[in-house]
Amino acid sequence: MQVVIFKLDKEQFAVETAKVQSINDIMQITKVPNAPAHIKGLINLRGNVISLLDINLLLDVSKEEDSGQNNIIILDIEEELVGITVDQVDEVLDVEESLIEKIEEDKKKAYIKGVINFKDRVVTLIDIDKLLSN
């Protein structure tokens, strides 16, 4: 399985590359009045209007005030393009399924597919479809 690893604050997360449409630099975000808190706004990417989610809020990861979120990952979720802002995109890796440890089923964290245990770090693998179905 191939994953894109990105950073939010000091934590590393991963999503399957099969869900990733593109990775872009941060761009103009248009705020949406009365939108739910987890909607950051809209972006216009090559003529497509895409909703931008605050993944820090969805994953309950604190955001440093001065942390500039520099990248937008465009994800294909159930035939719809959605963007998430991340602090930085670290790398794309092939991961053996055996490295992924399933975690206890926790309703609050149902969107976590498991953790990838590398020798030097642990990366949380996100099930992006479940993240949005809550």
Side-chain angles (χ1 to χ4, degrees):
M1 172 197 312
Q2 211 176 39
V3 296
V4 174
I5 296 178
F6 60 90
K7 202 173 264 168
L8 295 174
D9 197 15
K10 293 172 181 66
E11 291 183 60
Q12 285 191 313
F13 294 90
V15 289
E16 293 176 47
T17 52
K19 300 276 182 200
V20 176
Q21 200 68 24
S22 64
I23 297 170
N24 304 282
D25 290 333
I26 201 76
M27 58 186 73
Q28 174 84 39
I29 300 170
T30 306
K31 297 276 183 226
V32 180
N34 304 322
H38 67 277
I39 303 285
K40 254 191 177 168
L42 301 172
I43 57 170
N44 185 333
L45 182 66
R46 295 181 217 93
N48 292 323
V49 176
I50 297 172
S51 298
L52 205 55
L53 302 180
D54 187 341
I55 194 155
N56 290 72
L57 194 68
L58 292 170
L59 294 174
D60 200 21
V61 173
S62 64
K63 207 180 322 184
E64 287 181 25
E65 287 308 311
D66 61 349
S67 89
Q69 292 198 310
N70 296 321
N71 296 109
I72 297 175
I73 300 177
I74 306 296
L75 300 160
D76 188 348
I77 302 168
E78 294 169 10
E79 306 297 310
E80 190 181 335
L81 293 181
V82 174
I84 58 172
T85 51
V86 301
D87 294 345
Q88 75 183 49
V89 175
D90 289 337
E91 57 195 331
V92 175
L93 287 178
D94 280 313
V95 177
E96 294 289 323
E97 295 276 345
S98 61
L99 283 179
I100 301 169
E101 291 177 25
K102 302 285 182 238
I103 56 170
E104 289 291 312
E105 196 56 44
D106 177 352
K107 287 202 180 1
K108 253 177 54 187
K109 304 223 184 284
Y111 51 79
I112 295 178
K113 233 180 198 173
V115 290
I116 307 168
N117 223 330
F118 295 109
K119 287 185 180 74
D120 58 341
R121 65 205 158 130
V122 172
V123 177
T124 306
L125 181 61
I126 298 168
D127 186 335
I128 205 73
D129 293 319
K130 285 198 179 130
L131 184 63
L132 296 182
S133 61
N134 293 349

